[in-house]
Amino acid sequence: MFLDFFLLLKNQKVPVSLSEWLTLMSALDRGHGKASLASFYSLARTICIKHEKYYDDYDRCFAHFFYDEALAKNPDIGEEFHHWLKTAELPELPEEWGKKTFQTWDRDRLLDELEKRLQEQKERHDGGSKWVGTGGTSPFGHSGYHPEGIRVGGMSRHGRAIQVAAKRKFANLRNDQILDTRQMSLALRQLRVLGHIGSQDELNLPETVRATSQAAGDIDLVFQASKKNTVKLLMLSDVGGSMTAFAKLCETLFSAASGASHFKAFAHYYFHNCPYETLYTDMSREQTIPTKDILKTYNSDWTVFIVGDAYMSPYELLVPGGSVDYHHHNEIPGIEWLNMFRRRFPASAWLNPIPNNYWYGESISLVRDVFPMFPLTVEGIFEAAKMLRNIQQRRK
Amino acid sequence: MSQTFTDSQEYVASPELTEIVNIALDLEKPLIIRGEPGTGKTLLAKAAANVLGRDLLTWHVKSTTKAQDGLYVYDTVQRLNDSRFGDNDVSDISQYIKLGPLGLAFQSEQPVVVLIDEVDKADIEFPNDLLHELDAMSFLVSETGKTITAKHRPLIIITSNAEKELPDAFLRRCLFHYISFPDKSLMTEIIKVHYPDLEKNLLAQVLEAFYALRDFEGISKPPSTSELIDWISALRKSGIAPKQLQKSIPFLGVLIKKEEDLKALQQPVKKRGWSGVFRLFFIVEEPKSSGIS
């Protein structure tokens, strides 16, 4: 009977495999997890879930399977949404509402409506009778007065909500959210390529044997440097304009990359919207450096991250003189510069702070034709770093 | 199951965790423990060894640790040196084979507990190199041609700080548990283990202040259990009245270790209507009063 539950986990992209299933079965055979649903809950979790980031998914699947079917239908009641509801002030209930008749729907209808409203609703609502929010007589939201509504977050106020979609204790352990410096630098660590550098502190056995036999058996110990990271990272960041909104995120990436001691070298430059013939060494874009110099100074061993939203008028990329800066005339169109970078640095990738489900627009697709693009999240960096490392290793 | 793990005088575990350790014992699978610093990951192994009456073998993993080190190390340099100076019988290779914690655990006549501490400090490939040994519970010493097989499968507890993702193949062979930060009631029990005679009133105030501090937005390193315990000790030594805690937090430096965090706490509290957290009932003192030693 648990097979369906197991398949549900799999469907929800929780990584489970046959060996977890077999372990779970043998644990059940041995009498574990039978005392109560709670003991089954922890047994199955300890066997099937191997990272706390999946605890939240597990909770949702579990609630779905063993309690109701609502959650799976609406797996992504947005986090932000929860936030509104959690923190809202309760409005006073107008007196006449007490007498008002409520629309009553069956559960399926309720769920459909909830889904619809979640998609339509773009802002916070406290009170009112249609949207999801706090108070009010809409069947959705929390602390409201609809007798059969779906509670979304908040405390159970009238004890009648037929489904509770909010008890997600582990929601903040999910890692599709944008995270802190430490996690970013760990993601960057994926870039690591090892080579023998530094002080010689490791016995090189084959060399020792060779040297010893050459010295006719008089033992000659040969030491070598231990393996260390050989990766050199060059980062180009878009600053100003539309990027201001992402300043904090880019800062986090920057401190992760510059602070991390795991690179052999690290260099960084700035540009605005698109790199042209000059780049900047400071964020306020006052100190310039010719882009050609950079292409000369850094050889193809360098791994390159370009950070930017790639969100601009296609004109800025395609036309000579298309630079957004009025006083600046570029002879070579932006896209050519991008191509030059790409040719120079085979191990290069574009990190975009815009979430990848919003990558519309011509300029983004033009840039994506040149560079592989990844979202600027921990997982995005992880994937990008893995790809770049493979490129670097293949080049060796 | 001949042996079961329970709470002990020294270690307070949630019923869930106790059960999971027992599942790991029965299924003979390694147990990976993850959690915030100060949630007692490492202590769990010690407590398990105590309660089960087994020896504890600890393997502290470092960034340079290799999987082989846990099984055995062949001391080539020693042997070369011996051959040079004729010190020992160099033809007896076995004396240059030094067993590591896993090797010792396999060879032990009694079942033991093995703690592999901070497994993710080592190289990314480290756990993969242990797959076979953990599966078969045996390994070959290639220098002597002898196979060392576990007489009893040890209880293996692995702690991890989520610094690196562990490989899937490794994870599939293990059980996993994430220790959440203790809630107030569990924390009360933990504190009682350390300070059995702590005044009720003080305890309540201490916890109130501690959890408010943990919830304070803008702190990058929230205080953990061990800091709380140090703090209580400082409070007791200085004989501060429980009421005092409602107004200010003395010895803040014991709880907050980062300078930015101290600064963040000292900034005037912004009033943000939506959050209960900001109903801060304490005024943070200047850091100079926080040094205690």
Side-chain angles (χ1 to χ4, degrees):
Chain A
M1 81 168 259
F2 296 123
L3 191 59
D4 286 339
F5 174 55
F6 195 73
L7 292 175
L8 177 69
L9 284 175
K10 219 170 162 54
N11 283 339
Q12 292 293 313
K13 307 246 163 70
V14 179
V16 284
S17 69
L18 196 59
S19 56
E20 273 97 17
W21 168 250
L22 293 172
T23 310
L24 180 60
M25 286 301 106
S26 81
L28 287 170
D29 279 347
R30 297 178 72 103
H32 294 289
K34 295 219 166 128
S36 64
L37 196 57
S39 74
F40 176 76
Y41 168 87
S42 60
L43 174 75
R45 194 180 69 185
T46 207
I47 290 173
C48 299
I49 308 296
K50 300 296 163 66
H51 196 291
E52 64 271 17
K53 71 186 172 195
Y54 298 117
Y55 272 18
D56 185 43
D57 292 315
Y58 176 81
D59 280 1
R60 276 187 4 230
C61 291
F62 195 86
H64 164 65
F65 191 79
F66 292 98
Y67 292 111
D68 58 55
E69 286 171 20
L71 297 171
K73 254 196 153 177
N74 296 296
D76 286 309
I77 297 177
E79 301 297 325
E80 201 187 355
F81 209 73
H82 277 289
H83 191 69
W84 294 348
L85 290 160
K86 242 190 342 218
T87 57
E89 307 268 287
L90 270 190
E92 287 286 302
L93 175 70
E95 237 178 55
E96 65 268 26
W97 283 13
K99 298 170 208 139
K100 200 173 169 182
T101 43
F102 297 98
Q103 275 177 299
T104 47
W105 291 325
D106 61 29
R107 201 175 75 168
D108 286 346
R109 174 81 196 278
L110 267 177
L111 288 173
D112 290 346
E113 289 288 329
L114 174 60
E115 210 157 74
K116 221 157 68 191
R117 283 175 208 198
L118 285 175
Q119 276 160 12
E120 291 172 36
Q121 182 169 353
K122 293 280 180 281
E123 58 202 329
R124 180 182 186 131
H125 279 270
D126 293 338
S129 65
K130 178 171 182 193
W131 296 110
V132 184
T134 63
T137 57
S138 151
F140 307 110
H142 77 78
S143 309
Y145 299 89
H146 193 283
E148 293 179 341
I150 295 185
R151 180 151 70 81
V152 184
M155 304 283 285
S156 168
R157 186 173 165 119
H158 294 281
R160 283 198 196 130
I162 48 175
Q163 273 121 12
V164 180
K167 205 187 161 199
R168 294 170 57 190
K169 239 173 87 191
F170 298 101
N172 57 351
L173 300 174
R174 296 172 72 93
N175 78 336
D176 42 7
Q177 292 166 17
I178 292 147
L179 292 157
D180 64 1
T181 319
R182 182 180 153 76
Q183 267 146 318
M184 280 199 183
S185 64
L186 288 164
L188 284 172
R189 217 186 260 188
Q190 282 296 309
L191 282 173
R192 197 166 64 158
V193 177
L194 294 173
H196 293 282
I197 46 175
S199 63
Q200 304 195 330
D201 51 3
E202 209 176 60
L203 182 71
N204 182 337
L205 198 54
E207 274 307 304
T208 301
V209 170
R210 207 185 53 80
T212 304
S213 39
Q214 270 187 351
D218 191 19
I219 286 162
D220 189 359
L221 297 173
V222 179
F223 289 88
Q224 67 185 4
S226 55
K227 282 183 169 183
K228 293 196 185 81
N229 197 358
T230 56
V231 167
K232 293 174 277 186
L233 181 69
L234 172 65
M235 208 161 95
L236 305 176
S237 329
D238 184 356
V239 283
S242 55
M243 286 298 286
T244 313
F246 306 111
K248 181 126 205 285
L249 183 60
C250 296
E251 238 171 67
T252 312
L253 173 70
F254 181 81
S255 46
S258 60
S261 53
H262 37 263
F263 299 117
K264 196 180 163 204
F266 173 72
H268 60 95
Y269 298 96
Y270 301 95
F271 62 91
H272 182 49
N273 278 7
C274 178
Y276 300 106
E277 68 278 355
T278 43
L279 292 174
Y280 306 90
T281 56
D282 62 333
M283 277 185 87
S284 47
R285 284 180 277 133
E286 279 157 8
Q287 311 292 323
T288 60
I289 179 166
T291 306
K292 286 230 157 94
D293 282 3
I294 287 168
L295 289 168
K296 255 185 259 157
T297 315
Y298 302 101
N299 64 15
S300 55
D301 286 347
W302 284 71
T303 300
V304 176
F305 273 136
I306 303 183
V307 184
D309 55 8
Y311 195 73
M312 58 196 122
S313 151
Y315 188 77
E316 292 174 48
L317 274 174
L318 299 176
V319 181
S323 166
V324 71
D325 189 344
Y326 183 78
H327 299 291
H328 169 224
H329 181 85
N330 54 303
E331 296 291 334
I332 303 171
I335 197 83
E336 260 319 300
W337 285 108
L338 291 182
N339 276 316
M340 275 187 253
F341 270 102
R342 183 64 181 159
R343 282 196 297 269
R344 177 68 170 161
F345 305 109
S348 53
W350 191 290
L351 293 173
N352 197 328
I354 301 177
N356 49 353
N357 41 343
Y358 293 100
W359 287 354
Y360 313 122
E362 208 186 331
S363 62
I364 291 188
S365 68
L366 281 169
V367 170
R368 287 183 76 182
D369 286 343
V370 182
F371 288 102
M373 190 180 284
F374 296 87
L376 181 45
T377 58
V378 170
E379 274 179 2
I381 297 172
F382 188 86
E383 289 305 317
K386 225 161 71 181
M387 184 203 77
L388 295 181
R389 184 190 58 194
N390 287 339
I391 293 174
Q392 290 291 26
Q393 271 169 345
R394 244 178 285 131
R395 282 165 39 82
K396 290 213 160 175
Chain B
M1 247 190 288
S2 56
Q3 286 176 305
T4 45
F5 172 66
T6 53
D7 263 42
S8 68
Q9 293 273 296
E10 297 83 35
Y11 188 84
V12 183
S14 65
E16 197 182 30
L17 180 57
T18 319
E19 195 179 320
I20 284 165
V21 173
N22 284 320
I23 293 169
L25 259 177
D26 187 39
L27 298 180
E28 301 184 325
K29 285 191 180 279
L31 173 61
I32 299 177
I33 297 287
R34 228 160 19 196
E36 258 188 66
T39 42
K41 298 185 292 286
T42 306
L43 282 180
L44 174 68
K46 216 173 147 193
N50 262 341
V51 172
L52 300 170
R54 297 182 175 192
D55 284 338
L56 174 68
L57 294 165
T58 308
W59 184 7
H60 292 290
V61 176
K62 299 192 182 86
S63 60
T64 50
T65 304
K66 295 188 178 66
Q68 185 69 33
D69 304 346
L71 307 173
Y72 72 94
V73 179
Y74 170 39
D75 196 345
T76 347
V77 179
Q78 181 67 49
R79 188 164 176 237
L80 279 170
N81 267 331
D82 282 358
S83 77
R84 194 176 194 180
F85 304 112
D87 276 355
N88 281 310
D89 178 13
V90 286
S91 63
D92 179 15
I93 296 178
S94 66
Q95 62 178 322
Y96 300 103
I97 302 289
K98 308 255 155 56
L99 288 181
L102 267 184
L104 288 171
F106 287 2
Q107 230 186 15
S108 164
E109 296 294 330
Q110 303 295 324
V112 296
V113 177
V114 178
L115 168 67
I116 305 181
D117 206 11
E118 307 197 59
V119 69
D120 41 14
K121 275 214 178 135
D123 191 73
I124 254 161
E125 288 303 315
F126 172 84
N128 274 340
D129 297 342
L130 284 175
L131 286 184
H132 171 77
E133 285 73 18
L134 292 181
D135 257 358
M137 287 283 169
S138 73
F139 62 90
L140 175 76
V141 181
S142 54
E143 285 78 3
T144 57
K146 263 198 281 185
T147 302
I148 295 187
T149 309
K151 298 194 170 83
H152 306 275
R153 287 179 85 98
L155 170 65
I156 301 178
I157 292 179
I158 301 167
T159 71
S160 151
N161 281 326
E163 279 194 23
K164 283 180 202 131
E165 294 279 327
L166 298 169
D168 288 345
F170 180 74
L171 289 172
R172 274 203 295 277
R173 288 161 170 84
C174 300
L175 303 178
F176 172 84
H177 183 67
Y178 177 79
I179 305 188
S180 323
F181 197 81
D183 58 7
K184 270 190 192 174
S185 67
L186 189 61
M187 188 58 93
T188 310
E189 282 184 53
I190 293 170
I191 292 175
K192 275 185 185 152
V193 167
H194 291 268
Y195 303 106
D197 54 340
L198 192 68
E199 214 186 312
K200 230 183 181 176
N201 208 349
L202 181 64
L203 180 64
Q205 292 295 347
V206 157
L207 288 181
E208 186 88 354
F210 176 72
Y211 280 95
L213 208 55
R214 271 185 65 85
D215 285 342
F216 191 88
E217 262 187 42
I219 286 196
S220 57
K221 191 189 170 298
S224 69
T225 316
S226 57
E227 273 125 22
L228 174 62
I229 285 164
D230 290 348
W231 189 48
I232 295 176
S233 149
L235 289 177
R236 274 162 57 108
K237 276 181 195 147
S238 66
I240 281 175
K243 269 201 167 171
Q244 183 74 26
L245 289 178
Q246 290 177 348
K247 282 184 249 137
S248 65
I249 295 192
F251 311 124
L252 191 65
V254 181
L255 288 170
I256 304 289
K257 305 280 170 70
K258 281 193 158 183
E259 204 178 333
E260 324 68 286
D261 289 352
L262 278 173
K263 275 190 194 142
L265 281 169
Q266 277 152 5
Q267 265 162 21
V269 176
K270 272 182 219 148
K271 192 154 171 65
R272 292 200 217 168
W274 49 268
S275 175
V277 173
F278 286 87
R279 286 184 290 108
L280 280 182
F281 38 75
F282 46 77
I283 306 148
V284 176
E285 288 183 357
E286 288 298 307
K288 62 175 189 285
S289 63
S290 59
I292 52 150
S293 56

